[in-house]
């Protein structure tokens, strides 16, 4: 499972003294972004390739509040087979290894020009699945025949 | 069902050109806050009374993107019997009456000093249920015997 | 001086118990947006017309903290002659008429396609100056000869 | 000059395709927080010691837009003698070493209980000035006589 660390910022806390619940949805995005990068492509590159990945659903369960200046660990994985959509699951832990929250998001693949659903480019799907080996595979599948 | 209107702000959009998905969780909070106010008490008053209402779960389904400067309608209701927790359901519509998203949140009642779960004060619960009539009932239940 | 009211949201407070200082910059944007709308055009329309107005400088002086659920009044005016840029000044007051903060922003006019500085369309500049009378003037200046 | 790196998040961009101007004020906070930590104390520790540091003024000049996923460098320094207030100056650069923006903030020292202005604890002031050597000095000045 992929791990990213983030530091809780002051502006993310609220007057209850803890992180405002909406910010965990943003932490999930950071976890997802770094997960994707770890697979050999950045989300910025996917967009540059003409594919957007808008969120179609998100949920979060809150177990323990995170506090200012804590160094949190976001654990991210793909939770379902990638089809016309991709599902991520998240767990966030604090420095004492307490479970702060869990969550999941489903994202669609959408053509940047038409905003209509598309299949993910096969090279991108392979990278995300972890069955291709980073940037080299990305290039080689581009040149590969249609049976890829 | 209670309705609140909010105007989409520029800082709530992202480079996809639409409202960033995390902001709907914040819109739900605005809907919930105004729902509570419409029942004759403000959430600020509930906190001033020593009870916090932290979120224990949240979820959102996205159907149609909201755009900059749109005037959105947030429809809010209580979706379950109030117990040691309270559940709200939300629907957000744009000016063309398109469904933008739906969602729900569950909140606990917590003692502000100890941060431990508590039952909601009966006067507060009655107001939230809509079975009491605003501020007057709030005062009278305070003076009422324990069978309230 | 134009006035807009906004309600402080929970997610805008921080663990100091008051509004996080970065949010006043966002309140200024709301004040500016509603000021522009009051002159007979929306900022969304200006962008739709191919002109963006990015911020080139911003400053804020903080006098009194704003608190959760307060209904703030943002007072906005244009503080300098409109040239290739436009300067706004702001004052924010709480419900007790205490001065919360003052600030100013300078914005450029930029061509949306080239992102290069441009003069504001004369019809837009007139509306912003308040020397034209809303949407009617906007239409008539469009048809007017170049000496407008 | 102290340097911190931050990655631009998707939710920090707006529909102009670049970072929303309000977020640089938040980046300054991150720069300031990491600057303070580099001097041997965390801002969280200063608050735990009973002293808050609210912002009394902030300003920012924008030169070049920052984009999604860019790794920005925040350069932070103390720009004036520390008195009853402390002033920080910031410069943010992108990966191409282009100057994105500059800014400054002034912060007061305030007693957490009374919210009234106070002198910074001498041990804290020394650490911030860089004339003490981290946590060890912090302890020793605590034991030092009043002429410290």
């Amino acid at each position: 499972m992929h791990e990213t660390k983030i530091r809780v910022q002051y502006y993310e806390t609220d007057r209850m003294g803890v992180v405002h619940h909406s910010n965990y949805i943003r932490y999930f995005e950071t976890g997802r972004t770094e997960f994707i990068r770890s697979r050999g492509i950045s989300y910025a590159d996917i967009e540059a390739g003409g594919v957007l990945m808008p969120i179609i659903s998100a949920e979060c369960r809150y177990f323990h509040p995170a506090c200012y200046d804590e160094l949190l660990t976001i654990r991210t994985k793909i939770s379902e087979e990638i089809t016309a959509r991709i599902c991520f699951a998240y767990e966030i832990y604090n420095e004492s290894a307490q479970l702060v929250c869990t969550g999941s998001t489903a994202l669609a693949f959408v053509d940047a020009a038409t905003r209509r659903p598309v299949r993910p480019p096969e090279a991108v799907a392979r990278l995300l699945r972890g069955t291709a080996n980073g940037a080299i595979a990305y290039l080689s599948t581009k040149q590969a025949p249609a049976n890829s």
Side-chain angles (χ1 to χ4, degrees), chain A:
Chain A
M1 207 165 185
H2 179 263
E3 291 191 358
T4 308
K5 294 207 184 287
I6 53 148
R7 177 80 71 178
V8 174
Q9 302 296 310
Y10 209 89
Y11 57 78
E12 293 169 339
T13 63
D14 63 28
R15 74 171 201 149
M16 218 175 269
V18 296
V19 171
H20 188 270
H21 62 278
S22 62
N23 291 314
Y24 296 104
I25 303 292
R26 297 180 172 192
Y27 294 168
F28 292 164
E29 182 170 81
T30 301
R32 184 168 69 243
T33 302
E34 297 309 321
F35 172 95
I36 292 172
R37 196 189 319 279
S38 76
R39 289 290 164 100
I41 189 169
S42 72
Y43 177 64
D45 286 341
I46 296 175
E47 285 209 348
V51 173
L52 307 180
M53 292 170 62
I55 295 271
I56 51 183
S57 69
E59 58 86 26
C60 186
R61 293 177 176 276
Y62 305 92
F63 298 103
H64 190 84
C67 296
Y68 171 58
D69 211 41
E70 285 187 334
L71 194 61
L72 303 179
T73 300
I74 312 167
R75 302 187 68 186
T76 307
K77 67 174 180 185
I78 293 178
S79 55
E80 287 179 25
E81 180 79 12
I82 300 171
T83 59
R85 57 187 236 172
I86 182 168
C87 296
F88 292 90
Y90 315 89
E91 296 168 358
I92 298 183
Y93 293 88
N94 66 17
E95 291 169 82
S96 309
Q98 287 172 297
L99 182 61
V100 170
C101 66
T102 61
S104 63
T105 55
L107 297 86
F109 295 95
V110 167
D111 183 282
T114 64
R115 300 282 163 131
R116 300 191 72 87
V118 291
R119 289 250 143 201
E122 185 55 30
V124 170
R126 277 191 186 182
L127 285 171
L128 293 176
R129 276 185 214 115
T131 55
N133 189 8
I136 295 161
Y138 185 46
L139 291 174
S140 62
T141 54
K142 270 191 169 165
Q143 301 155 350
N147 65 341
S148 64

